[in-house]
Amino acid sequence: MIQPVPHIAVMAPYALAQLDAPAGKRLISLSQNESLRPPSPQVAPAVAGALGAAHLYPDPDWVDLRQGLSALHGIPADGILCGQGSMELIAGLMRVFAGPGATVLAPAHAYPFFRTAAALAGARFDSAPERDGRVCVEALLHAVQADTRVVCVANPGNPTSTRIPRADLIRLRAALREDILLIVDEAYGEFADHLGEPVFDLVAGGNAVVLRSFSKAYGLAGLRVGWGLFPVQIVREMRKVLTPNNVALAGQAAAAAALADQTYMRDTCRLTGDLRTGFAGDLRRVGLNVPESFTNFVLIGFPDGAAARGADEALRREGVILRPQAGVGLETCLRATIGAKADLDIAADILRHWAKGQMT
């Protein structure tokens, strides 16, 4: 029987959310960091219009979308690449700049797909300690090796929900060797844009990229559209590994329409923030540790791994699915997406009753 190549054979499959509710229970999924509401009302007619041309390949240069992104963010259109979610762009960067004999470095509790993408490219993956759930620039720099070729950070972070100040990212890039690529994944960037610390200017140095997604704040997770700003020389190399016509016609139309409705997107972020504040406060009042979040989810810390597993079981018995974080070294934590208020209230009530029995 044919066998996979060695570096694929030793990989573990990417961990998917387990979305099975007990019989008779309504599934309440707070596990995938989806938007709490549908995309802008402008999206549906845009997609419907695009379907009339479904017999044609989509624009391979994403012209309308790139122009909209360029105008909104004040960035050069010729540095923008689009992908099937930011995951395609991360995987492409690993194929171009990592590979056998190279090392990819990320914080200890980084977005798990960084590790997967490194493994797909045949590269070694290293991690650096974090400090109280926050990226530590000094630890990352200390962990750099002679064969380090890529350093990845998610900002804000998944699953930690914390963020790296702009000054620290600038300091990190300045201290890294020139032959190391810094990937800044801002999939949740819109939830922190109100802080006024954009980092697109890092790209001008030629060895950093900034990625974003339409899956979160824009509510287009089901259409898989991501994008990023790249140095022009990296754009040329990435074009070699990206699938032609990669973003479907409907996805491009939806993303362009969602981008044009900034008021709706900002309202989504505001509503998410308000619900997040209330939910986090409910959990803190029963003694759970919830760090300040800059995303559409919260990380919930429990006294130990057994407590986290017990809380997860109590939630699942009622059909409420959160995301355990043992796979990224946070076995004492569960991650909860900010969803509808009624669903958050149910989750908080279950955890309140669980905590009353376990933590008193």
Side-chain angles (χ1 to χ4, degrees):
M1 186 173 107
I2 190 168
Q3 298 295 316
V5 295
H7 75 278
I8 299 296
V10 299
M11 284 180 60
Y14 189 76
L16 302 176
Q18 300 299 312
L19 299 178
D20 300 321
K25 297 292 184 180
R26 177 175 71 91
L27 173 65
I28 299 176
S29 174
L30 301 176
S31 64
Q32 302 209 86
N33 295 350
E34 297 151 327
S35 176
L36 61 84
R37 64 177 184 165
S40 161
Q42 297 185 24
V43 167
V47 170
L51 293 181
H55 60 297
L56 303 175
Y57 284 112
D59 179 0
D61 289 318
W62 330 282
V63 171
D64 289 346
L65 187 51
R66 286 169 58 226
Q67 289 177 345
L69 289 164
S70 173
L72 176 66
H73 293 287
I75 55 179
D78 61 357
I80 297 172
L81 291 174
C82 300
Q84 296 173 0
S86 55
M87 296 173 85
E88 182 189 17
L89 301 174
I90 293 168
L93 287 164
M94 298 300 182
R95 291 175 67 188
V96 172
F97 294 105
T103 296
V104 174
L105 173 65
H109 309 308
Y111 177 39
F113 190 71
F114 292 150
R115 182 186 296 270
T116 298
L120 285 170
R124 192 178 83 243
F125 185 84
D126 286 347
S127 61
E130 297 189 21
R131 183 178 298 160
D132 298 325
R134 290 170 172 79
V135 172
C136 177
V137 170
E138 288 73 22
L140 278 170
L141 293 173
H142 182 74
V144 169
Q145 304 295 316
D147 60 357
T148 301
R149 291 294 174 266
V150 179
V151 173
C152 305
V153 293
N155 194 40
N158 176 17
T160 61
S161 80
T162 57
R163 65 178 295 274
I164 312 164
R166 169 181 163 83
D168 286 352
L169 281 173
I170 292 173
R171 183 161 59 89
L172 172 62
R173 178 58 271 177
L176 289 171
R177 296 195 316 265
E178 291 297 309
D179 64 342
I180 294 175
L181 175 68
L182 175 63
I183 299 175
V184 182
D185 180 10
E186 293 190 327
Y188 301 90
E190 288 79 9
F191 295 100
D193 277 348
H194 64 283
L195 297 172
E197 293 195 343
V199 295
F200 291 115
D201 57 322
L202 282 175
V203 175
N207 45 21
V209 302
V210 178
L211 307 178
R212 287 209 170 189
S213 173
F214 283 91
S215 296
K216 310 303 180 183
Y218 288 100
L220 297 180
L223 288 170
R224 310 303 300 126
V225 186
W227 67 280
L229 183 64
F230 299 72
V232 173
Q233 64 271 30
I234 293 181
V235 167
R236 290 194 295 268
E237 301 306 318
M238 283 288 287
R239 284 284 194 173
K240 300 174 184 177
V241 301
L242 292 180
T243 304
N245 309 113
N246 59 345
V247 181
L249 196 69
Q252 292 193 41
L259 192 71
D261 195 349
Q262 287 294 297
T263 297
Y264 185 92
M265 183 276 289
R266 286 193 292 268
D267 284 346
T268 296
C269 292
R270 177 189 53 76
L271 177 59
T272 300
D274 290 346
L275 290 171
R276 183 185 64 210
T277 297
F279 182 57
D282 288 344
L283 300 182
R284 291 179 184 129
R285 278 189 287 274
V286 300
L288 298 174
N289 178 33
V290 182
E292 183 180 11
S293 171
F294 297 89
T295 64
N296 69 339
F297 62 87
V298 295
L299 189 69
I300 308 170
F302 295 84
D304 52 43
R309 291 188 293 274
D312 188 41
E313 291 168 3
L315 289 158
R316 286 177 178 272
R317 283 195 295 270
E318 299 304 320
V320 181
I321 312 299
L322 273 57
R323 198 70 172 262
Q325 295 302 312
V328 294
L330 294 169
E331 68 170 354
T332 64
C333 296
L334 302 176
R335 192 191 69 195
T337 304
I338 301 304
K341 185 177 187 305
D343 293 342
L344 294 174
D345 288 345
I346 290 171
D349 191 58
I350 293 169
L351 288 172
R352 186 180 304 112
H353 283 89
W354 174 87
K356 185 176 181 180
Q358 299 291 320
M359 301 173 66
T360 58

